[in-house]
Amino acid sequence: MNNTVIILSDKETRLIAGCIAFNRSSQSEVYTLFAPKMMIVSMRYSKNQEEAEEILQDGFMRVFKFIAQFKQDGSFEGWIRKIMVNCALQKLRNQVNLRPVVSLDTASNNYSSNIDIVGDLSGKELLKLIQNLSPAYRMVFNLYHFEGLKHREIAVLLKIEEGTSKSNLAQAKRILQNAVIQNLKIAKQTHNG
Amino acid sequence: MDKNLHDDIGDWFQQKIEPMTELPREELWQNLEQQLDKTDASNYRNKFLTARRIAAILFFLLVGFATAAIFYINKTKSDLANNKINPGNKINLINNISAIDSGNMSIIPPSYNNKNITGKQSVADDLTTDKNKKNMFKKQSLNKPGRQIVIIKNEIPSEENLTTIKETQSAALLNNTESVFQQAMESIAAREIKPELQLIAKNKINLLKSSEVNSSIAKNSKKNKTSAARYSIAAFAAPEFAGYYLENDDINAYGNKNIIDKRENHLLSSSAGILISRKINKRLSIQSGVIYSSSNISIDPSKIYAVKDAVGNIKYRYNTSSGFAYFLPSFSSSPNVGDSLYTRTSNHTIEYISVPVMIKYSFEKKKFSFNPAAGVSFNFLTKAKLTTDIENSQNNEIETTTKLESTQRVGYSLIVTPEIQYKISTQWAISAMPYFKYALTPITKAYVVRTYPFNVGLGIGVVYKF
């Protein structure tokens, strides 16, 4: 078990103490400091801006509620991020429709280059592609690539089989790959036209 | 399909998205702030809940001590007054008078209209030679009733003094000593002593008799004023212990009384109310009013199971002694029948407004009046709240409901109280009202158990008679 104690900056320590004392200015400062980053985390797990904001709001409410329980065995930002991910997972569990929104056959692959293809798309466009994934695929993709979880851990967290997690990830990646190629194709046609 | 693109796409996405930031809408912080305000308000309420309870207990203790102190002071006064006329004192005094009667002693008061009255032997001389006796008289003279006795023995007052005495002696004091004093005076008057002394004694007897009449008139007047009060209004507050008697109903198999009884713990509850009495006759009154009661129950952690509700939806059912509630936590919104979740310690609050109707029998002893009363109380359920923290291995959610199923909204109880009142004045009194309330009808209907709550409390309050 990892018992590493992270030394927090003075500012973080001060802010945490303020939030424990329900100090509104400290809470506001924490929000201002971490909301922009956490907004992206929320957006990765949601299908649109509104849903992302809901996750962000719920997440920060939990942060302020349970901030006294924060132990310095990881960074403060990491702890907040974990809470955001949990909020997103909780939201997913409430959703009934888990079908994919992008068909597997949306595009054929005619591209041989790799990193340049993704490099040509902006971060926002890539984020949009993730949001277009079905909740199940999006969740597995995020947990695997962004949170660094293993399939076994994802399976426990989402209450699915490990094999399902693997196949969901493969499917998600395939969808994203096709979507990227499709997007570039359209961009190229527009550019040439 | 390009193998590299498929394998690395996740990492590329991560590299591109991870450093990104985006500001949320400004309204989001405002919404958050509103929610935080609500949470703060809730925390604030909970923070001072304990302080309020302690303050209430301290208040009751203070009222209790004040009542006890008043009672003690009054008792001490009464004891001191009784000491002047206790049988032993009476005998001593009469013995002294007998000694005067026997002719062996003479009364030589210091003055009577500047004339000395002489006898065979001076009691005053005797007293001056007996220091112990003198001290005893001095001690007695510290109290007003005793002063009369000192006057008899040491000084025959002048006519002017007699008038002053008449004016200054209170009816209550005379009340206690007049019989003894009268005996003494009659004894003196009956003796063959100088006519002047006899005259004084006779005057004194007349004075006593008139005082007695005055005192009696005053007493009757007071009595009439008190007895004229037909109504009384009492406001009280009471810490109480609440409990219940459970019976299995066996309507369904979702629980039984042992399970419920084992995990529920009653916390200190409270009641407050206003009662109005109206005298029917000298002894009997009818009493009614409004009583607000709040009972708190802490429920130990337990397991709840998903069942079909009345309309076929599957929800988690939580049984309490007062009814049951359905919960559907967001992290387990589509359970199957038989699925289970754990609950942490839960809080259950029941609030009632009761309207008692009682018959009260009153009798008085000195400043106390005893008013045993019994009757029925009609209880109206105003709030049944259940707050629990539901959890599974990864999530938890705090759920609150004020909608309990199978709860009887109206019921009635037996109420008995041996109330004691202590009069502060003719109109005001302090009341100590221990009471026992027992539900005659269950507070549940069509449920796994029939619950008959009971409450034992000690109400402390004030009474105003008019």
Side-chain angles (χ1 to χ4, degrees):
Chain A
M1 189 179 278
N2 186 11
N3 287 329
T4 315
V5 175
I6 303 289
I7 307 297
L8 299 175
S9 69
D10 286 349
K11 189 183 180 183
E12 281 181 335
T13 312
R14 181 178 55 80
L15 288 177
I16 292 166
C19 289
I20 290 171
F22 303 109
N23 183 310
R24 190 50 50 79
S25 68
S26 299
Q27 289 172 334
S28 169
E29 221 173 315
V30 166
Y31 178 81
T32 313
L33 200 63
F34 296 106
K37 281 184 185 174
M38 296 308 140
M39 186 66 190
I40 295 295
V41 175
S42 308
M43 285 173 81
R44 279 197 285 109
Y45 284 92
S46 54
K47 64 172 186 258
N48 52 36
Q49 180 89 7
E50 288 73 35
E51 203 177 281
E53 284 180 348
E54 276 179 38
I55 293 169
L56 191 75
Q57 191 170 324
D58 287 354
F60 270 105
M61 277 304 293
R62 281 192 175 201
V63 166
F64 296 135
K65 189 177 175 186
F66 297 108
I67 199 160
Q69 293 174 15
F70 168 64
K71 296 182 184 88
Q72 295 182 23
D73 51 1
S75 72
F76 186 43
E77 186 184 326
W79 183 73
I80 296 176
R81 187 191 175 105
K82 208 178 274 181
I83 287 177
M84 295 294 161
V85 172
N86 279 332
C87 281
L89 285 171
Q90 201 162 310
K91 203 150 193 71
L92 168 82
R93 291 190 188 107
N94 297 340
Q95 289 171 347
V96 182
N97 185 8
L98 297 173
R99 287 173 300 170
V101 288
V102 180
S103 163
L104 282 172
D105 304 321
T106 47
S108 59
N109 177 19
N110 296 321
Y111 287 81
S112 55
S113 58
N114 40 43
I115 193 158
D116 291 340
I117 296 172
V118 179
D120 284 347
L121 293 170
S122 71
K124 277 202 170 182
E125 284 171 312
L126 293 177
L127 198 58
K128 194 77 194 159
L129 292 181
I130 293 176
Q131 286 184 324
N132 281 338
L133 287 173
S134 75
Y137 294 168
R138 186 167 63 229
M139 206 56 68
V140 175
F141 182 79
N142 272 314
L143 291 173
Y144 188 86
H145 285 291
F146 287 85
E147 317 310 331
L149 298 185
K150 306 271 182 275
H151 282 297
R152 186 169 34 81
E153 292 168 316
I154 295 170
V156 172
L157 209 57
L158 299 180
K159 293 180 185 171
I160 54 174
E161 295 296 320
E162 201 174 325
T164 311
S165 173
K166 283 178 185 170
S167 75
N168 278 1
L169 181 67
Q171 294 279 44
K173 282 160 91 171
R174 192 169 299 143
I175 292 164
L176 287 173
Q177 185 186 349
N178 290 338
V180 166
I181 291 164
Q182 185 76 10
N183 272 14
L184 283 174
K185 210 176 179 181
I186 294 164
K188 205 171 185 181
Q189 282 171 359
T190 314
H191 182 72
N192 291 338
Chain B
M1 187 184 287
D2 184 44
K3 183 86 170 54
N4 281 343
L5 182 60
H6 183 265
D7 288 345
D8 300 335
I9 198 164
D11 297 333
W12 293 329
F13 266 73
Q14 192 204 354
Q15 284 165 20
K16 202 93 180 182
I17 293 170
E18 200 64 62
M20 282 173 66
T21 56
E22 181 158 322
L23 279 174
R25 285 182 301 119
E26 276 186 20
E27 296 84 50
L28 199 68
W29 170 246
Q30 287 165 7
N31 294 343
L32 198 60
E33 214 171 8
Q34 279 179 0
Q35 278 194 28
L36 285 169
D37 284 342
K38 282 180 191 169
T39 315
D40 285 356
S42 167
N43 288 340
Y44 184 82
R45 276 200 299 274
N46 290 337
K47 192 178 172 184
F48 290 101
L49 192 67
T50 314
R52 283 205 300 269
R53 282 179 181 164
I54 291 168
I57 291 166
L58 287 176
F59 172 75
F60 289 127
L61 285 174
L62 188 69
V63 170
F65 280 128
T67 313
I70 291 165
F71 173 77
Y72 177 75
I73 290 164
N74 188 61
K75 194 173 179 292
T76 313
K77 275 183 181 174
S78 170
D79 286 348
L80 285 170
N82 286 340
N83 277 340
K84 299 296 163 210
I85 56 161
N86 70 28
N89 284 352
K90 263 185 189 173
I91 290 161
N92 288 337
L93 190 61
I94 290 163
N95 284 343
N96 286 338
I97 301 300
S98 303
I100 297 166
D101 284 333
S102 67
N104 297 326
M105 298 170 80
S106 298
I107 296 170
I108 308 174
S111 66
Y112 174 65
N113 288 341
N114 299 325
K115 286 178 185 174
N116 286 337
I117 299 165
T118 56
K120 288 179 181 174
Q121 195 183 336
S122 164
V123 174
D125 287 345
D126 185 44
L127 288 173
T128 49
T129 55
D130 189 340
K131 278 188 180 178
N132 289 334
K133 279 185 183 176
K134 199 176 180 183
N135 288 338
M136 186 185 77
F137 287 136
K138 270 184 185 173
K139 272 184 187 175
Q140 285 180 340
S141 69
L142 290 173
N143 294 304
K144 279 185 177 180
R147 198 178 300 152
Q148 293 173 353
I149 296 162
V150 175
I151 289 164
I152 301 163
K153 292 181 180 298
N154 293 330
E155 184 182 13
I156 302 296
S158 67
E159 292 286 3
E160 286 166 7
N161 288 344
L162 283 171
T163 315
T164 315
I165 290 163
K166 186 182 177 182
E167 284 171 356
T168 53
Q169 282 172 336
S170 68
L173 296 175
L174 281 169
N175 210 20
N176 289 332
T177 56
E178 63 204 358
S179 59
V180 179
F181 193 51
Q182 197 171 330
Q183 279 179 34
M185 285 295 114
E186 279 169 357
S187 177
I188 291 165
R191 264 190 49 75
E192 287 179 10
I193 53 173
K194 292 202 170 184
E196 292 91 343
L197 188 56
Q198 281 188 2
L199 181 68
I200 294 165
K202 277 175 186 170
N203 281 341
K204 189 66 188 171
I205 290 161
N206 290 336
L207 167 69
L208 284 169
K209 280 179 178 170
S210 66
S211 299
E212 194 177 0
V213 171
N214 288 341
S215 167
S216 171
I217 290 165
K219 263 187 195 172
N220 285 338
S221 154
K222 255 187 189 178
K223 211 171 182 178
N224 287 340
K225 201 176 176 184
T226 315
S227 61
R230 293 177 69 86
Y231 291 92
S232 72
I233 183 163
F236 74 92
E240 66 177 26
F241 170 75
Y244 50 59
Y245 171 71
L246 294 178
E247 271 179 6
N248 272 330
D249 197 306
D250 298 325
I251 277 184
N252 55 47
Y254 292 132
N256 63 52
K257 70 171 190 176
N258 294 332
I259 296 168
I260 292 170
D261 201 14
K262 204 175 171 183
R263 70 183 181 207
E264 293 196 0
N265 309 300
H266 288 273
L267 307 174
L268 186 67
S269 304
S270 58
S271 275
I274 292 174
L275 296 171
I276 298 171
S277 300
R278 190 192 182 282
K279 276 194 173 178
I280 302 168
N281 59 34
K282 195 184 169 188
R283 296 277 185 214
L284 290 174
S285 320
I286 188 159
Q287 190 173 48
S288 186
V290 180
I291 301 172
Y292 163 82
S293 309
S294 174
S295 301
N296 301 308
I297 297 168
S298 163
I299 306 173
D300 290 340
S302 53
K303 209 170 183 180
I304 55 173
Y305 294 91
V307 296
K308 272 190 181 175
D309 68 9
V311 290
N313 296 325
I314 301 170
K315 291 175 180 174
Y316 292 93
R317 176 175 161 137
Y318 196 126
N319 284 344
T320 73
S321 55
S322 331
F324 66 92
Y326 286 118
F327 291 116
L328 200 57
S330 56
F331 60 81
S332 182
S333 55
S334 309
N336 295 314
V337 172
D339 283 359
S340 65
L341 287 173
Y342 288 96
T343 59
R344 293 178 186 171
T345 302
S346 314
N347 291 316
H348 181 30
T349 307
I350 316 165
E351 293 178 7
Y352 276 98
I353 294 282
S354 305
V355 179
V357 179
M358 292 187 278
I359 294 290
K360 191 162 82 172
Y361 180 83
S362 305
F363 58 96
E364 293 183 8
K365 192 166 186 187
K366 292 184 180 172
K367 287 205 165 189
F368 289 94
S369 70
F370 301 89
N371 311 292
V376 288
S377 164
F378 298 91
N379 310 316
F380 304 93
L381 181 73
T382 54
K383 190 177 171 187
K385 186 181 168 191
L386 177 63
T387 304
T388 185
D389 193 348
I390 299 173
E391 63 173 359
N392 64 9
S393 55
Q394 286 150 25
N395 300 283
N396 71 294
E397 196 169 299
I398 293 171
E399 299 274 356
T400 300
T401 184
T402 51
K403 226 179 129 182
L404 284 189
E405 312 274 345
S406 288
T407 303
Q408 193 82 265
R409 312 297 294 185
V410 183
Y412 59 93
S413 312
L414 174 76
I415 183 166
V416 180
T417 169
E419 188 199 6
I420 301 168
Q421 288 179 12
Y422 177 81
K423 276 185 204 169
I424 304 170
S425 67
T426 50
Q427 288 186 307
W428 289 95
I430 292 172
S431 162
M433 197 176 80
Y435 60 86
F436 175 70
K437 212 161 74 171
Y438 185 81
L440 297 171
T441 53
I443 58 164
T444 51
K445 57 177 178 184
Y447 187 45
V448 289
V449 288
R450 283 188 296 271
T451 306
Y452 298 86
F454 60 82
N455 307 65
V456 181
L458 175 63
I460 301 287
V462 287
V463 182
Y464 178 72
K465 293 173 184 174
F466 58 99

